[in-house]
Amino acid sequence: MPGAKIAIRNLYKIFGPRDREMVARVKGGTGKRDLLENHAHVLGLQDINVDMQPGEITVIMGLSGSGKSTLIRHLNRLIEPSAGEVLVDGQDVLKLGPAELQKLRRKTMSMVFQKFALLPHRTVAQNAAMPLFVQGAPEGMRVREAEKWLQRVGLGGYGDRYPSQLSGGMQQRVGIARALAANTDIMLMDEAFSALDPLIRTDMQDLLLELQRELHKTIVFITHDLDEALKLADHLVILNDGAVVQQGDPQHILLNPADPYIEDFVSDINRARVLRVRSIATPVQAARFDGEVEADANLESLIATSDGDTARIYRVRDNGEIIGQVDMKDLVKALVPSVRTEKGEK
Amino acid sequence: MAAYDWFFDAVGLRAWCDADAVDTPMSMAELLATTRGGDAANAEEGGFLFPSLDVLHGACPAIGQTRDLTAFLEEGFLAARDELRIVLDPITQPLSWMLDGALALFQATPWWLMIPILLFAAWFASRSRPVTAFVAAVLIFFAAIDHYDVAMQTLAIVFVCTSLSVAIGVPIGIGMSRSDLAQRLIVPILDLLQTLPTFVYLIPLIFLFSVTESKLYGIAIILYAIVPVIRLTDLGIRLVDRDVIEAADAFGMTKRQKLWQVQLPLALPNIMAGVNQTIMMSLAMVVIASLVSAPGLGVLVLRGIRNLELGVGIVAGIGIVLLAVILDRVSKAALSRVDKQGKAR
């Protein structure tokens, strides 16, 4: 698809000594279990096709073992694929030679890690400046850039400490500053907030969104947490057993889960907080409204506004324009996961 | 009649056995048996003898004796010796120069200069007041009992051999950590070097080099002491957190950057532990190397054994222990300093 910053095409990864032969078998319909039991190869990823748009946050979500960490490592080739293409700005990453690959890793993609992966023997400032050091930037520029990005992630004045003197959340801020200092278009975030406790995690998500509003990076974010995925994602990709189960607009996935796996997934979340008014708005029909509501407000705030009165109808505004209406009865229905509504209607 | 005659008769090898039989000199066992008055052959027939080379030789002169085997090894070694020396002599010659130079330097430096230098080195490495004070006490003790010179000789040899072991061992350890194949090939060699009794090192070396050359004991010490630093460098680099290595890769570090910026600094505590072991092992070997003319405290121990000069031996022995303790304390203090820095960070 033209315009995609990163396009993954028919990507396969099979772990084992004869992975390329096995790709043909998997394409022929051999399943994961069959492959493991009869051929002693592990199916990591099968037939992945994802387009990631520039300036968007693409969230890849799945449970552990679903292949999400494997997938993100194909983008900068920390893992070699068995078959397929990864196009970054139209260039196939998998065809790059060692020197070009190194350039890609230095100039095009930076990465944030689940376990921070900071250098314990270097100060926070030196860690933040690490990508510049790798590129051979002069000392003065390294100090300046490190200080700038540390300031930006809220760690101004911590430059002389060592990573072990910081809390987990602060260490990950250093990890983000390091990725930002590389000044790349693309940021890969591998379960970047999963090791943090919930309150800190929320802070970090807010920080990321705030940075993103300003910097418009192309971010690939891996998580196993649906709430986090829904909060951050412009484009959501759900992986299961190494295959894409569903991808698209997160609100759309929430309201129209494609299969039971995703229904299970979405059944546990607080829909009122995640769903936006925009997603359940219908064309204007009513003549009289009980008030107006912003399209990006979540349902929770609307329930609070309405005092729980299901008879009310609100007009939906987006940037001053009226784009539809919300009937509180629709809102209540949207709060119930779709699988149950269907059963109720039958 | 010798034992096992019947065997060679039975299989029809008698003609082959006696083809060019000459009377060989008697073995020591035969000689003893004869002088005791008995007939050697009869005595042998009395029991059921293991068919060893010597016994079989009695029955069939075409089969060699055991002493032929050792003679064969010796001749083979002597034949290869000249060629080996052409290669090994120039390569190892710098070692002789370094050892002789260090020995001369350590002894030529006057005590009032040498002791402060050593104390400063101890302070620089350990940054610990008690350790430095202890080193001072030991050095003064050596000087007070007139063992200062021999202690300096031992120290000079340990210094040169440890430095060379680290200079050679760390790169080998790095190579091992990078390739599983190299590790599989080198580990058995290290095991051999570590299990070989220390005296055995000396045997081939005495043949190769003359006993008056310092490199003879230098090589023996280095071969023995280099093992831990190689092992622990390899281990240290392999233990570096895989996440950190992955981050280094993800930001496009070159192999060299990764080695100097990530792997070596993070492996440093382990490498230092290896250096500590290497120092202790070269000190242990320098005593044994006094058998092949290594100067120092070991010579006095040897004198104590050879001439039964009990006091000389004991004093020198205690001196070696003290030297070992200060070297160990200083290098351990340096190690824990590195370790603590690693953890504080």
Side-chain angles (χ1 to χ4, degrees):
Chain A
M1 188 163 99
K5 183 81 181 169
I6 306 173
I8 302 172
R9 294 277 174 270
N10 308 105
L11 190 73
Y12 284 84
K13 175 65 190 180
I14 292 163
F15 295 99
R18 288 176 295 130
D19 58 328
R20 274 161 213 256
E21 287 170 44
M22 294 302 152
V23 169
R25 283 186 194 276
V26 172
K27 281 181 178 164
T30 306
K32 184 171 183 159
R33 172 171 292 181
D34 186 20
L35 194 72
L36 182 63
E37 283 173 1
N38 299 328
H39 306 286
H41 278 59
V42 176
L43 180 55
L45 294 172
Q46 56 173 320
D47 201 16
I48 306 285
N49 286 284
V50 179
D51 283 318
M52 302 177 184
Q53 303 304 322
E56 285 197 346
I57 301 181
T58 301
V59 174
I60 298 170
M61 198 198 69
L63 298 178
S64 50
S66 61
K68 54 195 191 305
S69 284
T70 309
L71 177 56
I72 201 172
R73 278 167 177 68
H74 279 84
L75 300 181
N76 58 0
R77 254 172 82 189
L78 289 173
I79 296 179
E80 295 288 333
S82 303
E85 291 180 334
V86 174
L87 303 168
V88 173
D89 294 324
Q91 164 82 55
D92 190 353
V93 171
L94 308 179
K95 293 203 176 77
L96 297 181
E100 293 162 301
L101 179 63
Q102 194 170 66
K103 197 174 158 215
L104 173 98
R105 288 174 175 176
R106 289 180 177 186
K107 304 276 186 184
T108 316
M109 285 185 192
S110 52
M111 196 161 179
V112 181
F113 296 87
Q114 178 174 11
K115 289 177 189 151
F116 322 137
L118 303 173
L119 299 181
H121 59 293
R122 295 270 190 269
T123 63
V124 164
Q126 286 169 332
N127 265 291
M130 193 260 259
L132 299 165
F133 176 87
V134 172
Q135 295 168 22
E139 164 99 43
M141 179 182 170
R142 296 207 305 263
V143 172
R144 229 174 20 249
E145 287 289 297
E147 186 50 41
K148 175 176 120 191
W149 289 115
L150 285 174
Q151 200 86 47
R152 194 63 200 77
V153 298
L155 283 182
Y158 283 92
D160 293 333
R161 308 268 184 108
Y162 285 93
S164 62
Q165 295 169 312
L166 304 184
S167 68
M170 287 159 97
Q171 288 189 39
Q172 193 57 300
R173 282 170 197 259
V174 180
I176 292 175
R178 175 171 70 176
L180 291 172
N183 194 22
T184 55
D185 290 347
I186 301 171
M187 246 170 90
L188 308 177
M189 306 186 74
D190 179 24
E191 302 231 18
F193 306 149
S194 301
L196 306 175
D197 59 60
L199 281 179
I200 310 261
R201 197 187 304 177
T202 309
D203 280 352
M204 298 294 284
Q205 291 160 357
D206 294 338
L207 173 73
L208 181 67
L209 287 172
E210 187 194 322
L211 287 167
Q212 175 63 357
R213 270 196 292 279
E214 194 182 306
L215 301 168
H216 302 293
K217 304 248 179 207
T218 305
I219 297 177
V220 183
F221 193 101
I222 299 281
T223 182
H224 60 248
D225 177 357
L226 186 62
D227 284 308
E228 182 169 76
L230 292 168
K231 179 168 177 183
L232 298 175
D234 296 311
H235 184 79
L236 180 60
V237 179
I238 298 180
L239 277 186
N240 184 26
D241 276 348
V244 174
V245 200
Q246 191 176 10
Q247 60 175 316
D249 172 49
Q251 305 263 317
H252 179 79
I253 292 179
L254 200 54
L255 291 170
N256 309 286
D259 80 351
Y261 175 75
I262 300 176
E263 280 168 9
D264 267 356
F265 238 130
V266 300
S267 62
D268 285 338
I269 57 153
N270 182 349
R271 299 166 72 89
R273 182 168 300 160
V274 172
L275 283 175
R276 313 256 165 220
V277 170
R278 181 199 303 279
S279 307
I280 58 163
T282 51
V284 177
Q285 289 172 334
R288 198 189 57 80
F289 296 99
D290 297 289
E292 286 191 350
V293 60
E294 280 296 320
D296 283 331
N298 61 21
L299 303 191
E300 209 170 49
S301 66
L302 184 54
I303 294 170
T305 319
S306 69
D307 279 336
D309 183 351
T310 53
R312 297 191 185 177
I313 297 173
Y314 287 89
R315 199 153 55 179
V316 181
R317 270 185 184 278
D318 185 24
N319 289 329
E321 274 179 56
I322 293 161
I323 60 161
Q325 66 173 27
V326 170
D327 189 326
M328 288 305 284
K329 290 194 184 69
D330 291 339
L331 184 149
V332 174
K333 276 188 209 155
L335 290 179
V336 188
S338 58
V339 59
R340 277 169 235 167
T341 20
E342 276 163 30
K343 274 176 199 155
E345 280 163 5
K346 270 171 202 168
Chain B
M1 277 313 254
Y4 296 101
D5 265 355
W6 55 269
F7 174 77
F8 292 101
D9 292 341
V11 294
L13 284 172
R14 176 52 53 202
W16 171 74
C17 283
D18 293 337
D20 37 16
V22 264
D23 241 3
T24 50
M26 271 190 282
S27 73
M28 186 55 88
E30 286 168 343
L31 192 66
L32 281 174
T34 320
T35 45
R36 271 196 212 108
D39 180 6
N42 283 342
E44 277 167 19
E45 267 171 327
F48 178 55
L49 289 172
F50 186 85
S52 71
L53 285 177
D54 281 352
V55 172
L56 290 178
H57 176 78
C60 172
I63 293 174
Q65 285 171 294
T66 296
R67 66 177 169 213
D68 294 330
L69 177 72
T70 48
F72 170 77
L73 281 176
E74 190 173 314
E75 275 157 25
F77 202 85
L78 284 174
R81 174 182 126 137
D82 289 333
E83 281 71 27
L84 272 175
R85 286 199 62 157
I86 291 173
V87 182
L88 289 179
D89 238 5
I91 297 178
T92 52
Q93 196 52 42
L95 179 60
S96 277
W97 296 333
M98 289 169 82
L99 284 166
D100 294 339
L103 282 169
L105 183 74
F106 273 59
Q107 286 179 284
T109 315
W111 65 269
W112 45 263
L113 192 59
M114 195 64 196
I115 291 180
I117 289 176
L118 288 176
L119 289 182
F120 178 75
W123 167 253
F124 182 78
S126 66
R127 300 286 157 89
S128 153
R129 244 169 254 228
V131 169
T132 314
F134 181 61
V135 173
V138 169
L139 289 177
I140 290 166
F141 172 72
F142 276 128
I145 60 166
D146 286 303
H147 278 57
Y148 173 79
D149 269 343
V150 276
M152 282 306 117
Q153 288 170 342
T154 300
L155 209 55
I157 297 172
V158 169
F159 176 75
V160 170
C161 292
T162 307
S163 313
L164 280 176
S165 294
V166 172
I168 302 169
V170 169
I172 294 178
I174 293 170
M176 265 170 84
S177 71
R178 286 194 175 172
S179 143
D180 287 339
L181 179 69
Q183 195 190 34
R184 269 206 298 280
L185 293 177
I186 294 175
V187 163
I189 300 175
L190 297 183
D191 289 341
L192 177 77
L193 288 177
Q194 218 164 22
T195 46
L196 217 53
T198 42
F199 285 109
V200 180
Y201 283 96
L202 302 176
I203 295 172
L205 292 173
I206 290 171
F207 271 87
L208 274 176
F209 308 106
S210 74
V211 184
T212 51
E213 285 177 294
S214 346
K215 62 185 171 191
L216 171 57
Y217 61 81
I219 294 172
I221 295 170
I222 290 175
L223 281 179
Y224 185 64
I226 200 171
V227 178
V229 74
I230 296 179
R231 273 194 209 280
L232 283 160
T233 303
D234 173 46
L235 179 75
I237 292 181
R238 280 174 188 267
L239 284 182
V240 171
D241 191 354
R242 280 194 47 199
D243 293 320
V244 178
I245 295 293
E246 195 174 43
D249 283 332
F251 283 97
M253 276 199 185
T254 59
K255 265 195 155 178
R256 175 179 302 217
Q257 284 174 328
K258 218 160 60 177
L259 179 68
W260 287 103
Q261 303 301 324
V262 183
Q263 290 172 317
L264 282 183
L266 293 183
L268 196 58
N270 273 314
I271 297 176
M272 293 286 287
V275 172
N276 170 268
Q277 292 285 304
T278 289
I279 294 173
M280 301 326 292
M281 288 175 78
S282 49
L283 187 66
M285 193 67 183
V286 83
V287 176
I288 289 164
S290 62
L291 282 170
V292 287
S293 81
L297 287 163
V299 175
L300 296 181
V301 176
L302 202 62
R303 199 172 105 198
I305 295 171
R306 276 210 286 241
N307 306 355
L308 292 179
E309 294 180 44
L310 184 63
V312 173
I314 288 179
V315 170
I318 291 173
I320 289 164
V321 171
L322 284 174
L323 212 50
V325 172
I326 60 172
L327 286 171
D328 183 58
R329 289 300 122 174
V330 171
S331 54
K332 280 254 177 69
L335 168 64
S336 73
R337 192 160 59 87
V338 168
D339 225 7
K340 216 181 286 168
Q341 269 173 354
K343 272 176 198 137
R345 286 170 180 186

